[in-house]
């Protein structure tokens, strides 16, 4: 059968309203009257064409525009849906639950503890959440670390606080340099009472490397102290072991018994100190105001000594696997590097990290945290009041517990954070961070941990394997203390080791 020579008819699309169709036809008719050939109307059949006139015959000139509008609308709808899905995925990743990683917008998923951008690990879930909010707000690893350290000063007064001494190790992925934070020599307000150095030390670190405004890092912790925080298991256990002597009314019920797990505590005096520190035009003024209140509580004259925190180049040691960085004297960093160098050169087993039990009673109490981003920038912080709840002396005007780190010549044997960078020349190098607390001999414990890491099969690519699996929860050496391992590899960050029960982590 031969194809007929009937005219091609274009039917009205169902998605258009009738009124729109009529308007389009009228517009076309007006157009056709204006654009006609020199001899006859445009829709009139030519002589001998064999075609009869039809009122809808020449719609081929109008419908391509309608089709174009339809296609454009569908494309816009598809793009809008894609953007909405990406936004929902991004929000889910930034606000994920404790220790979880939501699937990233790229479409591939991660195991728990692996993140695209950055992560923060601390002993308190409340503080890890606070650090995550600072990261999401545009803060860098220093902002997050300082903010979390101030938060821990509120919720974990048994291990850290404004009266604590701080050590830190910051690795800058852009320059490849590592910088050590020291609180300076331990100084005293009175026998058995250390000079508080936390605020000057943290402010110095933030001034040099932070990004967010200094008050932004203080206000969340100030609100937490004012509005109340929940006693977690760490603090509840410390209170049960220590008792409440010198700690009431801050951490006691009305009858003098210690607050238990899940109870709410407030520290409005500490909140006031943090508020003043946030609003002070210079850190010296806030430090002087704190000292004035402390000496008034103690009935002392204001001391001439002032905290002397410093930022110094980190100690380093070159090994076949990269460059090791740690903190200088009087921390345990020099001892750590000496032990590592001797062990690597002699190829002997790592030293026994477990000293006699007699020494464990002298183990300083400390607090640790770590934060890392996918570029390899990393901050490890460790702080201590020396004993649980420090000196046990709570300043009623400030809500601050002072430390009993009083010996000027004593080595901070509890402090030796360690960073391993596989290369200084490559800005996308793998970086591993180790920080520990609560072990009887920290340098031996850290040596054992690093040598164990380096001796594992395919240690050079271990980060890549770990990024694809759940983070391990290895027990601490000798079942004592807490250790954290964080790493950056292939534009991802992850927790490579978290002791069971500690520590909550967050990221995005």
């Amino acid at each position: 059968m031969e194809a007929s020579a009937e005219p091609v008819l274009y039917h009205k699309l169902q998605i258009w309203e009738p009124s729109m169709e009529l308007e389009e036809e009228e517009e076309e008719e007006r157009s056709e009257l204006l654009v006609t050939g020199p001899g006859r109307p445009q829709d009139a059949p030519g002589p001998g064409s064999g075609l009869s006139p039809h009122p809808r015959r020449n719609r081929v000139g109008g419908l391509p525009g309608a089709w174009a509008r339809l296609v454009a609308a569908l494309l816009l709808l598809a793009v809008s849906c894609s953007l909405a899905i990406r936004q929902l995925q991004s929000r889910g990743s930034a606000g994920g639950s404790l220790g979880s990683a939501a699937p990233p917008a790229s479409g591939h998923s991660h195991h728990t503890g692996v993140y695209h951008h950055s992560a923060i690990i601390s002993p308190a879930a409340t503080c890890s959440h606070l650090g995550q909010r600072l990261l999401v707000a545009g803060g860098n690893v220093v902002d997050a670390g300082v903010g979390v350290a101030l938060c821990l000063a509120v919720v974990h007064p048994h291990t850290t606080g404004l009266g604590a001494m701080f050590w830190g190790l910051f690795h800058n992925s852009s320059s490849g340099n590592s910088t050590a934070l020291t609180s300076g020599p331990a100084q005293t307000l009175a026998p058995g009472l250390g000079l508080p150095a936390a605020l000057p030390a943290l402010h110095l670190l933030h001034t040099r490397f932070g990004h967010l405004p200094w008050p932004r890092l203080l206000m969340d912790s100030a609100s937490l102290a004012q509005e109340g925080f929940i006693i977690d298991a760490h603090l509840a256990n410390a209170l049960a072991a220590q008792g409440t002597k010198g700690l009431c009314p801050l951490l006691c019920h009305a009858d003098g018994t210690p607050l238990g797990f899940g109870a709410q505590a407030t520290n409005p005096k500490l909140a006031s100190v943090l508020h003043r520190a946030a609003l002070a035009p210079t850190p010296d003024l806030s430090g002087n105001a704190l000292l004035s209140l402390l000496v008034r509580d103690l009935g002392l004259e204001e001391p001439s000594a002032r905290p002397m925190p410093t930022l110094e180049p980190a100690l380093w040691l070159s090994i076949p696997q990269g460059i090791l960085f740690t903190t200088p004297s009087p921390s345990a960093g020099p001892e750590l590097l000496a032990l590592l160098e001797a062990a690597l050169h002699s190829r002997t087993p790592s030293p026994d990290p477990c000293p006699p039990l007699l020494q464990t009673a002298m183990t300083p109490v400390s607090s640790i945290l770590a934060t890392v981003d996918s570029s390899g920038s990393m901050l490890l912080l460790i702080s201590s009041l020396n004993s649980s709840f420090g000196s046990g002396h709570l300043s009623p005007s400030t809500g601050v517990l002072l430390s009993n780190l009083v010996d000027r010549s004593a080595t901070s044997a509890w402090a030796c954070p360690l960073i391993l960078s596989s290369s200084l020349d490559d800005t996308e190098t793998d970086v591993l961070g180790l920080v520990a607390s609560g072990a009887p001999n920290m340098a031996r414990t850290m040596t054992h941990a690093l040598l164990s890491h380096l001796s594992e099969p395919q240690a050079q690519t271990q980060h890549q394997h770990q990024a694809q699996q759940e983070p391990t929860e290895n027990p601490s050496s000798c079942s004592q203390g807490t250790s954290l391992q964080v790493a950056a590899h292939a534009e991802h960050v992850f927790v490579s080791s978290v002791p069971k029960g500690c520590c909550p982590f967050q990221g995005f």
Side-chain angles (χ1 to χ4, degrees):
M1 180 181 297
E2 295 183 359
S4 64
E6 293 295 324
V8 178
L9 302 182
Y10 289 86
H11 297 282
K12 181 177 69 175
L13 294 174
Q14 296 301 316
I15 62 172
W16 301 109
E17 296 292 336
S19 58
M20 296 174 61
E21 178 69 22
L22 290 175
E23 290 173 1
E24 183 176 328
E25 290 181 359
E26 291 173 359
E27 181 178 352
E28 288 179 356
E29 288 174 1
R30 288 194 298 269
S31 229
E32 290 164 356
L33 290 174
L34 291 173
V35 189
T36 57
R40 63 183 184 272
Q42 196 173 14
D43 62 347
S49 64
L51 299 177
S52 61
H54 191 283
R56 300 176 64 103
R57 168 185 172 274
N58 207 29
R59 298 297 299 279
V60 69
L63 268 178
W67 278 107
R69 287 191 294 271
L70 174 61
V71 171
L74 292 174
L75 285 175
L76 285 173
L77 179 62
V79 171
S80 300
C81 291
S82 175
L83 290 174
I85 292 172
R86 290 174 66 90
Q87 186 174 12
L88 288 173
Q89 289 176 330
S90 175
R91 288 180 178 176
S93 178
S97 60
L98 179 64
S100 64
S106 59
H108 66 278
S109 61
H110 291 138
H111 292 294
T112 301
V114 182
Y115 301 95
H116 269 286
H117 186 275
S118 49
I120 179 77
I121 310 160
S122 82
T126 298
C127 298
S128 294
H129 277 288
L130 185 150
Q132 182 202 41
R133 292 197 299 271
L134 292 173
L135 291 169
V136 173
N140 59 22
V141 296
V142 171
D143 295 317
V146 170
V148 169
L150 292 167
C151 174
L152 291 171
V154 175
V155 305
H156 277 183
H158 61 299
T159 59
T160 186
L162 299 192
M165 176 177 282
F166 274 80
W167 286 89
L169 190 60
F170 170 62
H171 181 73
N172 188 333
S173 62
S174 298
S175 64
N177 295 329
S178 290
T179 303
L181 169 71
T182 83
S183 291
Q187 303 181 78
T188 62
L189 276 174
L193 299 176
L195 186 72
L199 279 177
L202 294 174
H203 186 270
L204 176 64
L205 178 66
H206 173 264
T207 300
R208 179 77 174 273
F209 299 113
H211 174 68
L212 295 177
W214 171 246
R216 174 71 175 82
L217 308 185
L218 291 153
M219 296 311 293
D220 285 340
S221 295
S223 298
L224 191 63
Q226 182 69 45
E227 298 169 6
F229 58 95
I230 301 300
I231 303 291
D232 65 10
H234 297 291
L235 179 53
N237 292 337
L239 281 169
Q242 176 82 8
T244 59
K245 183 179 179 181
L247 303 178
C248 294
L250 175 61
L251 298 171
C252 308
H253 292 290
D255 60 0
T257 57
L259 296 178
F261 174 70
Q264 187 176 47
T266 61
N267 194 341
K269 296 298 184 182
L270 179 58
S272 179
V273 169
L274 293 172
H275 274 293
R276 283 196 297 268
L279 300 176
T282 66
D284 289 339
L285 289 179
S286 61
N288 291 340
L290 175 59
L291 279 178
S292 297
L293 292 172
L294 288 171
V295 298
R296 187 182 69 185
D297 284 347
L298 298 170
L300 303 172
E301 293 184 2
E302 189 161 329
S304 57
R306 287 292 186 272
M308 296 184 294
T310 62
L311 290 172
E312 305 175 16
L315 294 184
W316 61 274
L317 173 67
S318 179
I319 63 174
Q321 294 85 355
I323 306 293
L324 292 171
F325 297 97
T326 190
T327 47
S329 178
S331 77
E335 180 188 1
L336 169 62
L337 292 189
L339 288 171
L340 284 169
E341 187 173 23
L344 290 170
H345 284 163
S346 65
R347 300 182 181 274
T348 58
S350 61
D352 182 6
C354 307
L357 292 178
L358 180 62
Q359 298 182 25
T360 63
M362 304 301 294
T363 302
V365 176
S366 55
S367 177
I368 54 176
L369 67 92
T371 180
V372 58
D373 68 23
S374 57
S375 73
S377 288
M378 182 180 295
L379 175 65
L380 311 177
L381 280 176
I382 180 168
S383 58
S384 179
L385 294 167
N386 193 35
S387 305
S388 183
F389 296 100
S391 64
H393 181 87
L394 177 67
S395 165
S397 298
T398 65
V400 171
L401 279 162
L402 297 174
S403 75
N404 53 2
L405 290 165
V406 297
D407 189 351
R408 292 172 182 265
S409 62
T411 299
S412 297
W414 43 272
C416 52
L418 185 68
I419 289 176
L420 170 61
S421 176
S422 59
S423 172
L424 292 182
D425 300 324
D426 184 2
T427 57
E428 297 182 357
T429 184
D430 292 350
V431 183
L432 172 74
L434 302 171
V435 62
S437 69
N441 189 312
M442 192 58 62
R444 286 180 174 270
T445 298
M446 294 288 287
T447 300
H448 177 81
L450 182 65
L451 292 179
S452 297
H453 171 82
L454 295 178
S455 66
E456 292 179 5
Q458 299 179 336
Q460 295 289 344
T461 57
Q462 183 181 12
H463 300 337
Q464 183 175 6
H465 300 319
Q466 288 173 327
Q468 305 301 324
Q469 63 187 19
E470 299 285 342
T472 59
E473 294 194 346
N474 298 327
S476 303
S477 299
C478 316
S479 299
Q480 299 172 26
T482 299
S483 62
L484 303 178
Q485 294 184 16
V486 294
H489 169 79
E491 299 183 350
H492 288 72
V493 300
F494 53 92
V495 180
S496 56
S497 179
V498 180
K500 187 174 183 180
C502 179
C503 298
F505 52 87
Q506 281 290 327
F508 79 104

